[in-house]
Coordinates of all heavy atoms in Angstrom, one line a residue:
I75 N 5.2 24.1 -3.4 CA 6.3 24.3 -4.3 C 6.9 25.7 -4.1 O 8.0 26.0 -4.6 CB 5.9 24.2 -5.8 CG1 4.7 25.2 -6.0 CG2 5.4 22.8 -6.0 CD1 4.3 25.3 -7.5
H76 N 6.3 26.6 -3.2 CA 6.7 28.0 -3.1 C 6.3 28.5 -1.7 O 5.2 28.3 -1.3 CB 6.3 28.8 -4.3 CG 7.0 30.0 -4.5 ND1 6.6 31.3 -4.1 CD2 8.2 30.3 -5.1 CE1 7.5 32.1 -4.5 NE2 8.5 31.6 -5.1
H77 N 7.2 29.5 -1.3 CA 6.9 30.0 0.1 C 5.6 30.9 0.1 O 5.1 31.2 1.1 CB 8.0 30.7 0.7 CG 8.5 31.8 -0.2 ND1 9.4 31.7 -1.2 CD2 8.2 33.1 -0.1 CE1 9.5 32.8 -1.8 NE2 8.9 33.8 -1.1
T78 N 5.2 31.3 -1.1 CA 4.0 32.2 -1.1 C 2.7 31.4 -1.0 O 1.6 31.9 -1.2 CB 3.9 33.0 -2.4 OG1 4.1 32.2 -3.5 CG2 5.1 34.1 -2.5
S79 N 2.8 30.0 -0.9 CA 1.6 29.2 -0.6 C 2.1 28.1 0.2 O 2.6 27.1 -0.2 CB 1.1 28.7 -2.0 OG 0.0 28.0 -1.8
E80 N 1.9 28.3 1.5 CA 2.2 27.2 2.5 C 1.1 27.0 3.5 O 0.3 27.9 3.7 CB 3.5 27.6 3.2 CG 3.6 28.9 3.7 CD 3.1 28.9 5.2 OE1 2.9 27.9 5.8 OE2 2.8 30.1 5.6
L81 N 1.0 25.8 4.1 CA -0.1 25.3 4.7 C 0.0 25.3 6.2 O -0.9 24.8 6.9 CB -0.5 23.9 4.2 CG -1.2 24.0 2.8 CD1 -0.8 22.7 2.0 CD2 -2.7 24.2 2.9
S82 N 1.0 25.9 6.8 CA 1.1 25.8 8.3 C -0.2 26.3 8.9 O -0.8 27.2 8.5 CB 2.3 26.8 8.7 OG 3.4 26.6 8.0
P83 N -0.4 25.6 10.1 CA 0.3 24.6 10.7 C 0.1 23.1 10.3 O 0.6 22.2 10.8 CB -0.3 24.7 12.2 CG -1.7 25.1 12.0 CD -1.8 26.0 10.8
V84 N -0.8 23.0 9.3 CA -1.0 21.6 8.6 C 0.4 21.3 8.0 O 1.1 22.2 7.4 CB -2.0 21.7 7.5 CG1 -2.1 20.4 6.7 CG2 -3.4 22.0 8.3
I85 N 0.8 20.1 8.2 CA 2.1 19.6 7.8 C 2.0 18.7 6.5 O 1.4 17.7 6.5 CB 2.8 18.7 8.9 CG1 2.8 19.4 10.3 CG2 4.2 18.4 8.5 CD1 3.0 18.6 11.4
E86 N 2.6 19.4 5.5 CA 2.6 18.6 4.2 C 4.1 18.5 3.8 O 4.9 18.8 4.5 CB 1.8 19.3 3.1 CG 0.4 19.6 3.5 CD -0.6 18.3 3.5 OE1 -0.2 17.4 3.0 OE2 -1.6 18.4 4.2
G87 N 4.2 18.1 2.5 CA 5.6 18.0 2.0 C 6.1 19.5 1.6 O 5.2 20.4 1.4
R88 N 7.4 19.7 1.3 CA 7.8 21.0 1.0 C 9.0 20.8 0.0 O 9.9 20.1 0.2 CB 8.3 21.6 2.3 CG 8.5 23.1 2.2 CD 8.5 23.7 3.6 NE 7.1 24.1 4.1 CZ 6.8 24.7 5.2 NH1 7.9 25.0 6.1 NH2 5.6 25.1 5.5
L89 N 8.9 21.6 -1.0 CA 10.0 21.6 -2.1 C 10.1 23.1 -2.6 O 9.8 23.4 -3.7 CB 9.5 20.7 -3.2 CG 10.5 20.0 -4.1 CD1 11.8 19.5 -3.4 CD2 9.9 18.9 -4.9
W90 N 10.4 23.9 -1.7 CA 10.5 25.3 -2.1 C 11.9 25.7 -2.7 O 11.9 26.6 -3.5 CB 10.5 26.3 -0.8 CG 9.3 26.2 0.0 CD1 8.1 25.6 -0.2 CD2 9.0 26.9 1.3 NE1 7.1 25.8 0.7 CE2 7.7 26.6 1.7 CE3 9.8 27.7 2.1 CZ2 7.1 27.2 2.8 CZ3 9.3 28.3 3.2 CH2 7.9 28.1 3.5
E91 N 12.9 25.0 -2.3 CA 14.2 25.2 -2.9 C 15.0 24.0 -2.9 O 14.6 22.9 -2.4 CB 14.9 26.3 -2.0 CG 14.8 26.0 -0.5 CD 15.3 27.3 0.3 OE1 16.1 28.0 -0.2 OE2 15.0 27.3 1.6

Side-chain angles (χ1 to χ4, degrees):
I75 61 170
H76 200 257
H77 61 277
T78 55
S79 178
E80 51 84 19
L81 285 150
S82 310
V84 171
I85 307 164
E86 305 289 341
R88 198 160 266 182
L89 205 42
W90 294 359
E91 47 187 339

